[in-house]
Amino acid sequence: LKLAEAEAAGNNIDGARAILAFTDKWISDIFRWKWPQTLLAYDLGMDGILRRNINDFVHLDRKRSDALNLLDRYCEGSADRVLDILAPDNHEAYMAWLIQWRRRTAADTAWAALEENDNVNDGILLKYVDFLVSDKRMASAAEIWQRHTGLTGMTNGGFESEPSRKGFGWRLGDDRKDRWQLRRVFGDGRKDAYAMRVSFRGRENIRFSHLYQIVSVTPGVPYRITYWWKSKGVTTDQGPFVEIYGYDAEGLRATGPMAAGTLGWEEVAVDFTPPDNCRAVVVRLRRDASRRFDSKIAGTLWMDDFSLTPLSTSPSG
């Protein structure tokens, strides 16, 4: 292999190719030399070795990112050419790499190939929908999510599965200072199942907005958010409350009541209408800082059974 590299450096291309082809018969399955062999094949235009090795790297997740970057250069950034070279089982890894580098057009092309080959699974679906949501392409995100999951409205409203922290799922924050804690708990739900428990430690006058979900909606259609909650020993004049605001457009803010003290399970409803061009809203639990001397919030809140219901089938007005 070193001899082949030396011949290539000396511009003896035919000799270098002959040596590389010879070594390939003996070391094609040995990863110690596979990467320098691949780089040399790239320089010498030996497509067969290059394509096979790239597929091996991607499939085995060995130097995957480097291999995909090299393939992208080889194909001059063309997703169609990359997909032709990669085996269908490697398309998902390529798709994830494109999302990582936020290659919008190429990611859309790779997604179409995954759907065409029926290679869509829950993991890559969530990654792509999350990519579309972060890009605020809400119509596409909602259509793909509904088509593959059958779900509309709020996702995992009763917290019966772990929050995905992506796409249209619940997103949670963490606090390293332990001023508050979010935890999905079993047995504390309204029907003795799961609920989301929010515990405030009483150490600081905190602002809180770390439990939320992005929800697809239709502009102009009136909606009602309903949820159940209970509390124990929630202090201060500024308690937590549910807020709805526009994710991809301004002009919307609706809020529910504040939780205070101790109360049993109670259903709350909040009505809102998304303004024009608003195709997604954020439903989040929030607490504003208090201006009083006794402002360090303590206590526990449990949330359960969120749902979104359209109050009309067409835009109001």
Side-chain angles (χ1 to χ4, degrees):
L1 191 58
K2 290 291 186 182
L3 179 59
E5 292 173 348
E7 293 295 334
N11 205 32
N12 182 9
I13 303 303
D14 290 339
R17 287 173 176 167
I19 296 170
L20 183 58
F22 174 80
T23 61
D24 184 58
K25 297 177 181 179
W26 301 97
I27 65 173
S28 61
D29 295 327
I30 302 176
F31 265 87
R32 177 180 177 182
W33 296 299
K34 187 175 281 288
W35 184 244
Q37 183 193 40
T38 304
L39 294 176
L40 188 55
Y42 174 83
D43 291 336
L44 296 175
M46 299 184 71
D47 293 355
I49 296 175
L50 176 68
R51 294 178 181 217
R52 186 190 67 239
N53 286 2
I54 291 291
N55 272 285
D56 287 345
F57 282 121
V58 175
H59 176 69
L60 297 173
D61 196 9
R62 306 268 300 265
K63 296 184 74 68
R64 176 181 285 173
S65 182
D66 290 338
L68 287 171
N69 183 61
L70 184 65
L71 181 59
D72 187 65
R73 291 177 58 190
Y74 174 75
C75 295
E76 298 178 325
S78 169
D80 289 319
R81 290 178 59 190
V82 170
L83 291 166
D84 285 340
I85 291 172
L86 289 177
D89 289 347
N90 286 333
H91 288 179
E92 179 183 342
Y94 175 54
M95 175 81 181
W97 181 81
L98 291 170
I99 290 174
Q100 176 186 352
W101 292 104
R102 305 202 66 81
R103 296 271 296 278
R104 176 176 176 172
T105 302
D108 294 345
T109 300
W111 174 256
L114 285 174
E115 288 196 314
E116 182 179 352
N117 294 322
D118 197 23
N119 278 345
V120 176
N121 57 48
D122 291 345
I124 197 62
L125 170 66
L126 187 59
K127 285 183 181 180
Y128 185 53
V129 169
D130 186 65
F131 176 62
L132 293 173
V133 168
S134 66
D135 212 24
K136 295 192 176 180
R137 291 189 281 165
M138 303 311 304
S140 296
E143 187 275 326
I144 290 170
W145 183 250
Q146 181 178 355
R147 176 154 48 85
H148 284 274
T149 67
L151 299 175
T152 59
M154 298 201 69
T155 301
N156 192 21
F159 303 99
E160 296 308 307
S161 59
E162 284 290 343
S164 67
R165 301 176 184 251
K166 293 181 179 180
F168 292 118
W170 287 108
R171 300 167 187 245
L172 313 181
D174 299 309
D175 183 25
R176 295 180 180 179
K177 296 181 179 180
D178 197 31
R179 297 166 300 177
W180 50 266
Q181 182 189 70
L182 277 167
R183 178 170 293 177
R184 174 176 170 260
V185 291
F186 181 75
D188 284 355
R190 188 168 66 92
K191 300 175 182 177
D192 296 327
Y194 285 96
M196 183 59 65
R197 185 181 68 200
V198 189
S199 303
F200 298 102
R201 305 303 197 192
R203 295 171 181 169
E204 291 186 24
N205 180 22
I206 63 171
R207 295 179 181 271
F208 179 88
S209 57
H210 304 284
L211 173 64
Y212 67 98
Q213 183 175 134
I214 299 168
V215 186
S216 173
V217 294
T218 301
V221 170
Y223 289 91
R224 174 169 294 158
I225 288 278
T226 59
Y227 54 92
W228 289 76
W229 65 359
K230 69 175 181 178
S231 62
K232 181 178 180 181
V234 175
T235 63
T236 79
D237 65 316
Q238 294 296 319
F241 60 94
V242 169
E243 176 186 46
I244 299 104
Y245 66 91
Y247 173 69
D248 57 347
E250 298 181 352
L252 170 64
R253 184 176 185 267
T255 61
M258 289 185 185
T262 299
L263 56 88
W265 282 113
E266 178 179 273
E267 185 179 27
V268 181
V270 182
D271 293 349
F272 68 94
T273 300
D276 293 342
N277 300 319
C278 180
R279 294 189 173 275
V281 299
V282 178
V283 179
R284 73 176 176 183
L285 183 66
R286 175 174 166 179
R287 190 260 179 178
D288 292 330
S290 173
R291 295 185 178 182
R292 293 188 178 183
F293 177 77
D294 182 16
S295 61
K296 298 178 181 179
I297 185 170
T300 306
L301 183 71
W302 292 263
M303 311 288 299
D304 203 358
D305 291 339
F306 279 80
S307 65
L308 174 70
T309 304
L311 301 180
S312 173
T313 57
S314 59
S316 59

